[in-house]
Every structure is written in C-alpha cells, then in structure tokens.
Amino acid sequence: MAGKLSFDALVALEKKYALWEYRLFDYPLWIHCREPLLEKGIMADRKMTYPAVLSMLKSFFQTVRFLFSQNQYDMVYFLMERAEILEIYKQENSKRKILFLNREQERVYEEKDYISSDFFNLLRFISRKTAYLIYRKKYRFVMQQLDRIGYGDMLDSYIRTAMGDAFFLKILSFLLRKGTKKFYSGCVIPIGEKFVNRLNSYEVQHGVIYPEHIGYAEIPEVRNTLVLYSERYRNILQQSGYRGKLLVQDFKKSFFERESSRHFPIVIYTQPLRQMQEGINQFLKKYQPKDVYIQKHPKDYFDYDIASRFLVTATTPHEVSCPIVYTSSIVENFALYDRKCYIYDVAHAEFDLMAFLKIYTEGSKAELIVRKSLDEIYDEIKKEILFSK
C-alpha cells in the first residue's frame, strides 16, 4: 500500500491518473480522498452521536413540514453550531429565512428558531451505507483503479462515503426547491456540492484558507458561490488559481465586536490531538488553576479533569486576556486585533507549525510566544501579570 503524500506529490498523482474524473451523478468522488492522503495535517473525525427517539421524530416532522412549505422561504441555512458562523444567519434581516442546525457537544445557540438536522443526517447516513451497493459496478471500477496505483485499501471507506454523499445530494436536489438560496457550512450539504451546484448554494467559510488547503487549492472549477469572512481570502484564492464565484461578507468580525460583559484571564483552546489533550489534563491536575478556562474544539471529546464552570464556549478576543492555542484558526481571531498569543507546541508528527502560524498572522502585528509545555506558558503569564501590577 502506498503512503501519504506532500501536497505537491498529491496534486501530481491526481493529474497523472486523472483522479478527479471518477464521478457519480457528476459528483467528484476524489474530494473525499485528499485529506487522508496528505502527510502534513490533522484529521479530526466527528464522533457519532445518536439522537433520542423523540428528538429524531421532532426533526422528522419539522423537516417534512418545511418541505411542504418551502415557498415561504427565500433562504435556507444549513450550519454547524459555531457561534461566529451562525452570525451569517443572525445578521440576515429577511423574515423569509430558516435554519437547519447541526448541534455540537457544546451548546452555543440558545434560540428556538431552528430545525435540527438529525433527520437529514439520518438520510445521509443511510445513503453512505447503501450507495456503493446500489451502484456496485461504479464502486468496483473506481476501486480497481485505486488498487492499481496502490491506494485501494487506504481509500475504500472514503470512496464509499463519497458515493453515499453523491447519492444523498441527488436526493436533496429532488427534495429542495431550486429557487431558494442554500447557505451551508458543515451541515447536511456534502462537500462536493461546490462542483455541481445542484441546490443553488453558497458555501460559508468556516476556517482559515491557505495556498495548500486541500478544500480550495488545485481543485476543479467551482460552480457555486463561496462566502468569505475577510477580503484577504479573495486575494489568497485568486493567487492560488481558484476558479469560482467569491462573495465577501464580514460576519465574523461583527460577532467578535459585539458587546459582552464576560472576561476570562486565560483560555486554552483545545485540538482533538491526544498529545495536547493529555498535556492539558496533566497541567490541570498539577496546578488546579482558578484562572484557566477551557474552550473545547467541536471534535474534542476528551473528559478533562476540570469543573464544568471552567468550560467555556464562543469566546471572543475582547473577552480573553491570555489565549493559549496550538494550530487552531483561533489564532487568526486574535491576530485580527494584533493580540499576543501563547502557542502550546505539542510537536505533532512532521507538522510545520511555524508555516501554519504564519498563515494565520500574515498582515498582523500579533505576537506569538511558542513554548513546548503549558508549565512554561503558565509561568510566563503569571510573571507578566505580576510585572504589570
């Protein structure tokens, strides 16, 4: 079995074997295979949580009611539960809008004006488990080609998922009215929709985009619209040869600058990495600090040894005095305001930390302090606070 690849080697492989040409309903299956092949990067799988029966029934009835009343809406939002992303829905003044929400483990959206995405998620799950059986001939053909170049075993589950999402998107195109605008980010609508635009859709940016980002660099022409939260990304994408419509809407900055009475002396922003999780937990057990809070990554399911009152969500740069991060796009949030960030370098594999941090801080005067342990960082913060008094 062949191994993982650098970004340049990945692109070369794609071109040599025309891997983007393997499609189902015009949906490029390869978009699901890039991330597992990239040698430098952090893959974080979402933990499957099964909703209660009553929650699923509620989602089913609300979804069906929506499907029969779609003419009431001009805009349908399919969004994951991240506070800054939900701003794009909140800031839309039209009454003819509706939200499908993919709830995360940490609740940040308290309003009741949404429909749970659970029922659509169930349909997507069933599609992923059956599509490769329904389209067995296509599945076998693609796997034969991948076996030939040494990646069949590594990519088998990803091809099945891709075929399921292609089939599910086809179903959605029959269920959803074409005339409404669909805004999506990490909820219901599959990643490959960008290449087919069956739904009249707008992808909402949910993280940092950089020149070698597998979701945006060296990909086929994009047919839908990408909504960016900063003008700087228009330049990055255009310089990277991105072919697709771009729309800048500064919804993220508006979220950061909302009024708030909260204040947190120190916040550690976690990543779903075992090294970081265990390092944080050892630090918490050692110091049992009363001035340190934890904001968990949406895919971080680690049970930290900390009281629930120290677990926070949806913090903004103006609420936090000393942020501690690793590779999270949270760095970009603080860099936007030229803030100091403490970087807890857990030295993950061959990950080029400094290259990623440069992406987050380009054009900013933010100060980054990189240390190998939380003990060092905590000691420096304490000394700085003492010196400033």
Side-chain angles (χ1 to χ4, degrees):
M1 183 174 67
K4 293 198 172 188
L5 304 166
S6 68
F7 182 78
D8 289 341
L10 175 64
V11 173
L13 182 79
E14 293 169 348
K15 291 179 178 178
K16 181 177 180 180
Y17 296 104
L19 297 175
W20 286 101
E21 298 304 312
Y22 301 135
R23 296 175 178 246
L24 178 63
F25 304 123
D26 201 33
Y27 184 109
L29 305 177
W30 187 252
I31 188 61
H32 290 260
C33 299
R34 299 188 103 195
E35 187 175 17
L37 286 187
L38 198 64
E39 64 181 3
K40 294 181 180 179
I42 299 173
M43 279 195 70
D45 294 325
R46 186 181 298 278
K47 186 177 180 180
M48 289 295 294
T49 56
Y50 299 96
V53 174
L54 288 178
S55 297
M56 179 60 74
L57 288 173
K58 181 179 178 181
S59 176
F60 167 72
F61 285 115
Q62 288 183 325
T63 301
V64 171
R65 185 169 61 187
F66 158 76
L67 292 175
F68 282 103
S69 61
Q70 292 182 71
N71 290 336
Q72 297 178 21
Y73 306 103
D74 296 326
M75 288 161 285
V76 184
Y77 291 80
F78 298 92
L79 303 175
M80 66 177 105
E81 191 176 15
R82 296 191 186 179
E84 66 272 21
I85 295 173
L86 287 165
E87 279 300 302
I88 196 169
Y89 171 75
K90 291 180 178 180
Q91 292 174 21
E92 174 53 56
N93 293 322
S94 174
K95 301 292 185 182
R96 293 173 59 84
K97 65 177 183 178
I98 192 167
L99 170 65
F100 280 85
L101 183 64
N102 201 46
R103 302 224 71 156
E104 302 283 358
Q105 59 171 331
E106 304 295 336
R107 299 292 189 250
V108 301
Y109 192 68
E110 303 300 332
E111 305 297 328
K112 303 298 182 183
D113 61 335
Y114 71 90
I115 298 174
S116 166
S117 64
D118 286 342
F119 181 65
F120 275 134
N121 291 343
L122 175 62
L123 292 182
R124 189 175 186 178
F125 176 78
I126 294 171
S127 296
R128 287 180 168 185
K129 294 298 182 182
T130 59
Y132 80 98
L133 297 172
I134 297 171
Y135 301 98
R136 191 75 179 175
K137 185 176 180 180
K138 169 69 74 172
Y139 167 70
R140 285 177 174 172
F141 172 76
V142 174
M143 292 311 303
Q144 285 172 359
Q145 305 311 307
L146 294 179
D147 283 335
R148 184 167 58 87
I149 62 176
Y151 285 102
D153 290 340
M154 183 184 292
L155 297 178
D156 182 35
S157 64
Y158 297 97
I159 291 298
R160 294 186 185 194
T161 294
M163 294 186 72
D165 277 9
F167 184 46
F168 176 64
L169 183 60
K170 189 71 172 178
I171 294 172
L172 283 180
S173 69
F174 285 115
L175 294 177
L176 301 179
R177 190 168 70 90
K178 182 74 174 180
T180 58
K181 294 179 180 179
K182 323 297 188 308
F183 293 84
Y184 70 96
S185 185
C187 176
V188 178
I189 299 180
I191 187 174
E193 156 66 5
K194 67 172 71 178
F195 301 109
V196 291
N197 195 24
R198 284 211 177 87
L199 307 178
N200 184 26
S201 63
Y202 294 72
E203 180 190 358
V204 179
Q205 180 188 1
H206 66 266
V208 175
I209 297 173
Y210 47 92
E212 292 188 353
H213 193 299
I214 55 171
Y216 303 98
E218 297 291 342
I219 61 175
E221 182 177 1
V222 173
R223 297 182 184 176
N224 70 358
T225 300
L226 174 60
V227 182
L228 304 170
Y229 57 68
S230 174
E231 184 67 34
R232 69 186 289 253
Y233 290 109
R234 185 196 299 274
N235 300 328
I236 291 173
L237 286 165
Q238 290 174 344
Q239 291 170 9
S240 301
Y242 181 88
R243 294 170 295 153
K245 298 176 184 176
L246 301 173
L247 175 65
V248 178
Q249 192 169 332
D250 207 358
F251 59 89
K252 193 171 183 180
K253 190 174 181 182
S254 300
F255 166 71
F256 292 152
E257 295 177 356
R258 79 191 194 282
E259 291 186 10
S260 172
S261 59
R262 299 194 305 175
H263 175 260
F264 306 102
I266 303 169
V267 175
I268 301 175
Y269 296 89
T270 77
Q271 285 282 293
L273 288 170
R274 200 68 184 178
Q275 303 103 301
M276 187 175 194
Q277 292 165 335
E278 291 178 349
I280 293 171
N281 217 38
Q282 289 170 8
F283 167 79
L284 294 173
K285 288 180 179 179
K286 180 178 179 180
Y287 292 95
Q288 298 182 359
K290 302 302 180 185
D291 55 356
V292 177
Y293 295 79
I294 303 291
Q295 179 165 313
K296 296 172 72 173
H297 185 281
K299 296 179 184 177
D300 178 5
Y301 306 102
F302 193 89
D303 185 16
Y304 293 99
D305 189 13
I306 190 171
S308 59
R309 69 180 183 275
F310 292 106
L311 294 173
V312 297
T313 60
T315 57
T316 71
H318 298 305
E319 296 173 330
V320 180
S321 295
C322 300
I324 302 175
V325 298
Y326 177 38
T327 61
S328 170
S329 58
I330 294 291
V331 175
E332 180 189 51
N333 301 345
F334 287 89
L336 181 66
Y337 299 96
D338 299 325
R339 293 282 304 282
K340 179 187 293 185
C341 286
Y342 293 88
I343 309 300
Y344 173 30
D345 182 8
V346 299
H348 175 66
E350 299 177 3
F351 189 74
D352 191 342
L353 175 61
M354 300 314 296
F356 268 75
L357 293 177
K358 184 178 179 181
I359 292 165
Y360 297 154
T361 58
E362 191 167 350
S364 166
K365 296 178 182 177
E367 180 184 358
L368 303 184
I369 300 173
V370 182
R371 297 291 183 264
K372 295 290 185 181
S373 78
L374 285 172
D375 298 68
E376 289 181 75
I377 294 173
Y378 193 50
D379 186 55
E380 287 194 34
I381 291 174
K382 286 295 190 181
K383 287 179 180 177
E384 182 177 326
I385 292 173
L386 184 64
F387 180 77
S388 64
K389 288 183 178 180

